[in-house]
Amino acid sequence: MHLTANQLVEEARKQIREVAPGDLAAHQGSAVLIDVRETAEYQTGHIEDAINIPRGVLEFQVDAHPAVATVSDPALSSKSCPIVVYCRSGGRAALSAVSLQRMGFTDVRSISGGITGWTDAGLPVTTR
């Protein structure tokens, strides 16, 4: 059976936890925030303190990123580190969250509606 991209995203959403933008804003800083959009998208505006690890390289870079693995050796990374992922509207983030869960990360969430949902809620973005 072949699936469309939208069907893959819908399947992924059934396997993950989503957090509303306002709920995340109220607890911002309690998790590593990963923007999985491409670098050019990230540079146009992102949530403060978010790190940019594009979807295409996420699985290869997340273990070794200092914000996730408080050490440089990927074998020693903390799989219990709370992680929240987001993209533009939520599709890439849902797929990313599933991948992170499959890699053993136990506390992964996705922002419902992505950065679009975040800005629609009147929450700030930065270009710094």
Side-chain angles (χ1 to χ4, degrees):
M1 176 180 170
H2 299 287
L3 300 175
T4 66
N6 287 337
Q7 289 170 320
L8 287 171
V9 168
E10 287 310 310
E11 280 188 1
R13 282 197 169 114
K14 293 175 186 173
Q15 300 173 54
I16 65 168
R17 294 179 298 152
E18 290 188 312
V19 60
D23 292 341
L24 177 62
H27 297 96
Q28 197 168 349
S30 62
V32 174
L33 190 57
I34 301 175
D35 185 324
V36 297
R37 297 177 297 157
E38 295 298 315
T39 303
E41 294 175 283
Y42 176 83
Q43 292 171 344
T44 65
H46 55 273
I47 300 170
E48 183 135 17
D49 297 326
I51 58 175
N52 182 222
I53 306 178
R55 170 74 189 104
V57 295
L58 178 69
E59 293 83 355
F60 300 102
Q61 292 186 0
V62 71
D63 273 328
H65 196 286
V68 178
T70 56
V71 293
S72 60
D73 182 352
L76 301 175
S77 68
S78 173
K79 298 294 186 178
S80 62
C81 172
I83 297 174
V84 176
V85 293
Y86 73 91
C87 61
R88 183 181 57 80
S89 61
R92 286 175 283 180
L95 296 170
S96 297
V98 168
S99 287
L100 291 171
Q101 289 173 171
R102 292 184 70 199
M103 291 176 71
F105 289 93
T106 59
D107 190 1
V108 180
R109 289 165 284 155
S110 172
I111 299 176
S112 57
I115 197 159
T116 301
W118 180 269
T119 57
D120 286 352
L123 298 166
V125 295
T126 185
T127 55
R128 287 183 272 130

